[in-house]
Amino acid sequence: MVAVTSSPNPVSDYAAWINELARMRPGIDFGLLHQACTRAEQIYGTARRLSGEPYLEHTLEVAHLLAGLRLDVQTLAAAVLHDVPEVVGRTGKEIDLATELEPGVARLVEGVRRIDMVMRRRSDQSRPEDQEGLRKLLLSIDEDMRVLLIKLAERTHDLRSAKQLPPLERQRIAGETMDLYAPLANRLGMGRLKWELEDLSFRYLEPAIYQRIATLLDERRLDRESYLQQVMTTLRERLAAVGILAEVSGRAKHIYSIWRKMRRKDVDFDHIYDVRAVRVLVDTLSDCYTALGVVHGLWLPISGEFDDYIAKPKNNLYQSLHTAVVGPEDKTLEVQIRTHDMHHHAELGVAAHWRYKEGNRGDADYDHRIQWLRQFLALDEAADPGEFVERFRQTLQHEQIHIFTPKGRVIELPRGATPLDFAYHVHSEVGHHCRGAKVDGHIVPLTYPLKNGEQVEILTTKKGGPSRDWLNPTTGYLHTNRAKEKVRQWFRQENHDEDVEQGRFLLDRELARLNLSKADLELLGRRLRYTRIEDLMSALGRGDIALSQVSNALGHILALRRKTIAMPTAPQARSRPKGAEVPSRIRVQGVGNLVTHLAQCCRPNPGDSIVGHVTHNQGISIHRIDCANILGRTEEARAKLLEAEWTTSTADTWPASLQIVARDRPGLLRDVTGLVADDGINILAVDTQTNKKTQIADMRLTVEVYHIDQISRLLVRINGLSGIISLRRLSE
């Protein structure tokens, strides 16, 4: 692996650490870093983080990690000071880092602060203004990627020290890392951080599986190391014999990667080839392929287990040759072969941009690595901000495939992309006028999922445009957010009246399907951030918002109405007769039926980790555990918070009746009840009548749900069964 700096631990003596950095990187002035460390020591003092760790210790460790990546002095100084806004925010002091040190450091510290603000507000149902904040944040990251490098290093150290955190907070950090930060490190080509982020997160999310694989690795460690020493000696000798000077080493074993392969290939631990693995680093590109020939000459290659990522790099520009062979003693062995330069970039990614240049931005390779980010941000600013985080997450997590045009140009698309996605990637007009496609010379439907290495030819017409069906996720026409946004742009330019009419039709149909004809449309519009009903209809008609969003908003409105009807006011709750039961969804300090209300600052939802805060005259305010108002409190104030948890109660659910009219067939009832059970919904009653003459079955189904969205999702799934004629929700 790329060597990490062996400089002293900065926590014990940051002056000695800086002196060692200066010795290892001659010609670089580290005076700014020394100033930053001195100022940080003054500002942080004895302040401690939620984990109990001193702020100074944490920030110096983050800077130490970045020094191992050879980041420039300005970045290291900002890393040492990145928690200054959080600490001084508690005291009310004003500190001007731009004046005290330099503007560049202050800009980086402010960038990290903005990331923290956005991430603390982020939730599954984030507010549009939060999504817009993330959009602006990504734009600022594009201007200076070092902000994100500091945050990735900070998250790595957070996970290293997460044992001291409460279990729920530890799992929240691990889940967020696996969901966003690890895929981001991967897309930026930073293999070293990516592997550590994944393994540490996996350790907290799936402790039993992690421990089982770790134990299996440890049990066979001595035998494996002895075996690899034999393999590496043989390989070095053969490579030297053909004139190749190579660095051969054992490759680190990543537990999350092993588990993912076990699950993907549906095999046990013994059938994972890269448990025994070596890496070969050579000087030139031609040496890579010569070394591959030596490996295949020594041991028998395993069919289907060779990947040439040099000829076809991964989407993050990762380059290497991967092969699996039957090695000595008939044991499987993986061999990775790459040049030293390829290895530096595989480990460091965008961080390599500053490795030798100390901040120089004139790097075409760097620009190529973040091209995906710029393309994502180039999507129409008018797109629904409520989908922004989800689209960004999907952009990060999709594996890439390489598709060829008839002229041999390579187009990179996410796995699952269709010919229609390909057409829109080539050009918007090609997508708008696409009516068919050929893959490797054969006509295929526009919903065909493309495979790596295929050649695609798009068949177009001069007239016409996209179909609204292309935006329907159930049809499978479009997979990429880029293509979907271009279709939405096209419909935005069409007749506004038609959009409104289409939206009205879709909304009326959904309301009728859910039997909510008396829904308050003005309240619905406000819930979805539209001031006029017409704007809501237009957005729905052109596909800017999905029916699932409408159903979700209706569910919140219905739940609020039920709560208003069912729940007594606070004074009534305090004076209720002894023994009377009051519905409660929250238990505080192990006691239910206390007067509580959900805080508007973070709006916790069932399933979120929560805490209680005692107010003066409104009972107990319930906050998410990661709420900025909670994290920003002093240690003494946080110690006074009350433990809280969501409870399950029959008072939280309500019955809903559905009518299903279908052609009678064997297994119809089994299929319907099976779908209900798969969604974790309880069935209260079933009544089926069948007309023997027409063979039409009329089924009445009563189920127990806690949210209107459950009904909407269930209706969609049942409607997909064969023989369904009509389906609707009945009046309660």
Side-chain angles (χ1 to χ4, degrees), residues 554-581:
L554 288 168
H556 281 289
I557 294 170
L558 186 60
L560 181 63
R561 186 174 67 190
R562 289 177 180 277
K563 183 177 179 181
T564 302
I565 295 172
M567 292 291 289
T569 62
Q572 290 174 322
R574 284 192 289 268
S575 61
R576 65 179 181 271
K578 184 176 180 179
E581 292 186 1

Side-chain angles (χ1 to χ4, degrees), residues 125-175:
Q125 294 177 348
S126 300
R127 293 168 290 179
E129 57 266 29
D130 294 343
Q131 315 305 305
E132 187 59 28
L134 180 58
R135 189 195 301 272
K136 293 177 181 177
L137 174 63
L138 294 176
L139 284 167
S140 68
I141 288 174
D142 180 27
E143 294 172 3
D144 198 332
M145 185 63 68
R146 293 176 296 173
V147 171
L148 187 55
L149 299 184
I150 295 172
K151 189 60 188 177
L152 288 173
E154 182 195 31
R155 179 49 59 99
T156 303
H157 185 257
D158 284 343
L159 287 168
R160 288 178 180 178
S161 56
K163 286 183 179 179
Q164 308 304 320
L165 294 172
L168 289 176
E169 178 66 6
R170 198 163 55 213
Q171 288 197 344
R172 183 194 68 79
I173 292 175

